[in-house]
Amino acid sequence: MDFEGKGTVEKIPSPSEEQAPPEAVEQKPLTSVVDDPAVLGARTQKIEMLKKGLDATKVTYEETQAALTTARTTLGLEGSVANSPAQTITQKRILEVEAKIVEAEANYPGDWTLLLHERLLHPATQMKLEGTFATHADSFPDEEPGPLDKADQFLSFQKQQVQDFSARVRDRFQATGVGKASEYGKTEKALGVSQHRIDAQTSKDELIHSGVVFSDASTRENMPLTPRQKNIIEAHEKGHAVRKFSGQMSTEIKQALDPEAIAGKRNYILQADEIVERMSQLKNYFGFVADEQFTATHLKHAREHYVADTGLDNDMNKFLDAITPETEERFLKVINSYPI
């Protein structure tokens, strides 16, 4: 597998030295995590079983509600049947099963980078990309950017983003750079970097680094990153390498967080691109492929378990703290409607 880097290029080992990574996986960027079909299969089976149970419970709820409504109408009674003991118990059961499904989805054990690659190329993501562009196209000036203009603020760049998206994903997931943080002008706690620039004349998004994971990356506790944690950062940087949101899209994304909730703290996570990649981390954490709905139950579970499960806080606690009751609805709208 080819890797790119400014300094000594290292191959990050798999969790088990005895278990070789699947060489046949063409898009495999960094051999940090090896998918275990048995583990993933058991996870899928458990989730499907729970979902069948949830569907059955919902059918029971709807049938009971319909029967109670008919009975009360026949008796000439007024008031809602939703407050009946039977309905209350069933509603509670539905919430319990939904929470169990989320718990089963959480802490996805497979390769997060390959999961993101699959999600970005899924037809549902392409539809979200096109839908987002269509919604905001009128907000971008339809003229050629000048030499001093930011090309991503113009319609020509946004059109190019949509047209080239799948090809850009395939290209930038081919390899991952590995090198020391100092070789990229960063510290070990920066974890990784992704760099690309936009040519003002052609509106082309030109790659500099398609996502680099620092070989000496360390946590705030000065512990070296595990293969799993490097895989998380790899996926994060790959996301940066393939997408950029500007104009009104950037404004809408930023409204998912409440700056006042983390006032006085590092605020770079309030940038639209950083918000999107942390949303993407949450989708990876729950093993989302593309067309799943991220719910308030997912968010609640992530608040309580994400950092503990991953052992990595790349400002995820601050990010989650900035999702307040006032912004939660907007957060859920963005994470479900944007190509994340």
Side-chain angles (χ1 to χ4, degrees):
M1 189 59 62
D2 294 328
F3 296 89
E4 55 186 42
K6 292 178 68 175
T8 302
V9 175
E10 301 178 8
K11 183 177 182 181
I12 296 178
S14 64
S16 169
E17 294 181 357
E18 298 179 357
Q19 185 177 13
E23 294 293 335
V25 181
E26 198 173 330
Q27 299 292 340
K28 178 65 178 172
L30 186 62
T31 54
S32 56
V33 174
V34 178
D35 283 347
D36 186 331
V39 172
L40 294 178
R43 172 185 177 273
T44 300
Q45 188 175 23
K46 182 178 181 180
I47 292 170
E48 289 178 350
M49 180 185 69
L50 287 167
K51 285 183 176 180
K52 286 180 181 179
L54 178 63
D55 290 341
T57 304
K58 286 182 176 179
V59 168
T60 299
Y61 176 83
E62 292 168 358
E63 290 176 346
T64 303
Q65 185 155 351
L68 288 172
T69 300
T70 301
R72 292 178 70 86
T73 301
T74 302
L75 295 171
L77 300 175
E78 298 179 354
S80 173
V81 299
N83 296 324
S84 70
Q87 295 304 88
T88 301
I89 292 171
T90 308
Q91 284 178 321
K92 183 179 178 181
R93 175 59 181 161
I94 289 173
L95 293 175
E96 289 174 349
V97 177
E98 286 177 341
K100 286 187 176 185
I101 291 172
V102 168
E103 182 180 355
E105 291 175 330
N107 206 15
Y108 178 70
D111 186 314
W112 286 24
T113 303
L114 289 182
L115 178 67
L116 174 61
H117 179 263
E118 180 182 359
R119 188 165 71 244
L120 292 178
L121 293 179
H122 194 285
T125 300
Q126 185 67 33
M127 288 179 63
K128 290 177 182 180
L129 177 70
E130 294 171 358
T132 301
F133 170 72
T135 299
H136 297 285
D138 290 344
S139 67
F140 293 99
D142 189 7
E143 57 190 64
E144 291 304 313
L148 300 179
D149 290 326
K150 292 183 177 180
D152 61 298
Q153 302 294 328
F154 289 79
L155 185 63
S156 56
F157 171 82
Q158 298 302 327
K159 284 183 177 179
Q160 199 76 45
Q161 284 271 286
V162 175
Q163 292 170 1
D164 297 346
F165 186 72
S166 294
R168 191 164 63 252
V169 170
R170 292 188 177 94
D171 175 65
R172 298 186 181 182
F173 274 70
Q174 289 291 338
T176 293
V178 183
K180 290 186 177 181
S182 60
E183 295 169 347
Y184 294 87
K186 302 288 184 179
T187 68
E188 296 88 344
K189 291 180 176 57
L191 308 180
V193 67
S194 179
Q195 294 179 329
H196 48 114
R197 70 181 183 87
I198 303 163
D199 188 293
Q201 299 303 312
T202 65
S203 293
K204 287 287 186 180
D205 186 357
E206 298 181 346
L207 180 67
I208 299 175
H209 303 304
S210 65
V212 174
V213 179
F214 298 148
S215 57
D216 53 353
S218 65
T219 67
R220 291 171 185 170
E221 295 75 30
N222 296 316
M223 296 296 293
L225 264 58
T226 65
R228 158 62 65 200
Q229 292 166 342
K230 288 184 178 181
N231 182 237
I232 292 171
I233 297 305
E234 179 187 29
H236 178 105
E237 298 302 341
K238 286 296 181 187
H240 279 309
V242 300
R243 53 192 170 197
K244 183 174 180 59
F245 297 95
S246 310
Q248 288 186 0
M249 291 184 289
S250 174
T251 301
E252 185 174 38
I253 291 167
K254 290 177 181 178
Q255 290 173 348
L257 300 189
D258 181 359
E260 295 301 318
I262 53 173
K265 300 179 182 180
R266 291 179 65 196
N267 62 4
Y268 89 102
I269 62 169
L270 297 174
Q271 300 172 23
D273 293 343
E274 294 298 338
I275 293 171
V276 164
E277 295 318 322
R278 281 167 179 77
M279 288 179 170
S280 184
Q281 283 180 230
L282 293 181
K283 285 195 169 186
N284 292 340
Y285 173 71
F286 289 107
F288 279 20
V289 174
D291 50 1
E292 304 90 339
Q293 282 293 302
F294 192 96
T295 67
T297 307
H298 286 103
L299 181 58
K300 180 178 184 296
H301 187 95
R303 289 185 192 278
E304 297 170 355
H305 300 283
Y306 178 90
V307 172
D309 282 346
T310 62
L312 181 65
D313 182 11
N314 60 326
D315 282 323
M316 285 299 288
N317 271 329
K318 291 176 186 175
F319 172 73
L320 292 166
D321 286 344
I323 307 166
T324 62
E326 291 74 25
T327 68
E328 183 173 314
E329 185 176 345
R330 294 197 294 271
F331 173 89
L332 293 174
K333 176 185 176 184
V334 169
I335 196 172
N336 285 314
S337 61
Y338 274 70
I340 296 174

